[in-house]
């Protein structure tokens, strides 16, 4: 049974940091592309960052470049998102997802990800 479980969300002040984790089971983690997505109230879900199965290639949406870092530990079946210099506009529910398809370093479409976690809330206060 495929399971993807996020953790690490919470409340942070603007300029602060949070580290999200995503633990996966039930599939060959090191063969899958992993991604972080977010959805704020009233907005569409967007791809935040994705990482190829080898870890050699990554994607970041423009608004988080230079502030967020995605990484993976295949030995622990765990995906991370280090979020620094947080802004109030980063407030959203953050989801971890898994896919067998790598769309390249310029996009990370959510419709190519069949496996999703329940999400973890990130709230950034001004």
């Amino acid at each position: 049974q495929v399971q993807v479980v996020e953790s690490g969300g919470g409340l942070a002040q603007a300029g602060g940091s949070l580290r999200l984790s995503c633990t996966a089971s039930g599939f060959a983690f090191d063969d899958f592309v992993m991604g972080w997505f977010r959805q704020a109230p009233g907005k569409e879900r967007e791809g935040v960052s994705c990482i190829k199965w080898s870890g050699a290639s990554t994607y970041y949406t423009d608004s988080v470049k230079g502030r967020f870092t995605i990484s993976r530990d295949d030995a622990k079946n765990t995906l991370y998102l280090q979020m620094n210099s947080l802004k109030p506009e980063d407030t959203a529910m953050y989801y971890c997802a898994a896919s067998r398809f790598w769309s390249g370093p310029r996009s990370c479409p959510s419709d190519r990800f069949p496996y999703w976690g329940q999400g973890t809330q990130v709230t950034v206060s001004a």
Side-chain angles (χ1 to χ4, degrees), residues 10-24:
L11 178 64
Q13 291 187 329
S17 298
L18 286 173
R19 188 195 196 201
L20 304 185
S21 298
C22 168
T23 302

Side-chain angles (χ1 to χ4, degrees), residues 41-57:
K43 294 188 177 181
E44 292 188 356
R45 183 171 55 190
E46 69 166 336
V48 176
S49 181
C50 294
I51 186 167
K52 197 175 181 180
W53 45 78
S54 63
S57 188

Side-chain angles (χ1 to χ4, degrees), residues 39-120:
Q39 188 166 21
K43 294 188 177 181
E44 292 188 356
R45 183 171 55 190
E46 69 166 336
V48 176
S49 181
C50 294
I51 186 167
K52 197 175 181 180
W53 45 78
S54 63
S57 188
T58 57
Y59 161 84
Y60 293 94
T61 192
D62 286 344
S63 63
V64 309
K65 286 179 180 177
R67 300 189 297 121
F68 291 9
T69 302
I70 192 170
S71 62
R72 62 190 297 162
D73 185 338
D74 288 350
K76 296 181 178 180
N77 284 8
T78 301
L79 176 74
Y80 303 99
L81 185 67
Q82 179 66 44
M83 305 187 295
N84 298 330
S85 302
L86 284 163
K87 302 176 180 180
E89 50 264 43
D90 295 319
T91 295
M93 185 70 79
Y94 283 70
Y95 299 91
C96 173
S99 170
R100 295 193 68 93
F101 302 99
W102 175 244
S103 298
R106 294 186 179 87
S107 69
C108 190
S110 61
D111 59 1
R112 306 214 77 180
F113 285 74
Y115 305 120
W116 291 81
Q118 294 298 309
T120 186

Side-chain angles (χ1 to χ4, degrees), residues 27-34 52-55 72 74-75 77:
F27 62 96
F29 183 82
D30 51 0
D31 286 342
F32 275 68
V33 173
M34 298 299 296
K52 197 175 181 180
W53 45 78
S54 63
R72 62 190 297 162
D74 288 350
N77 284 8

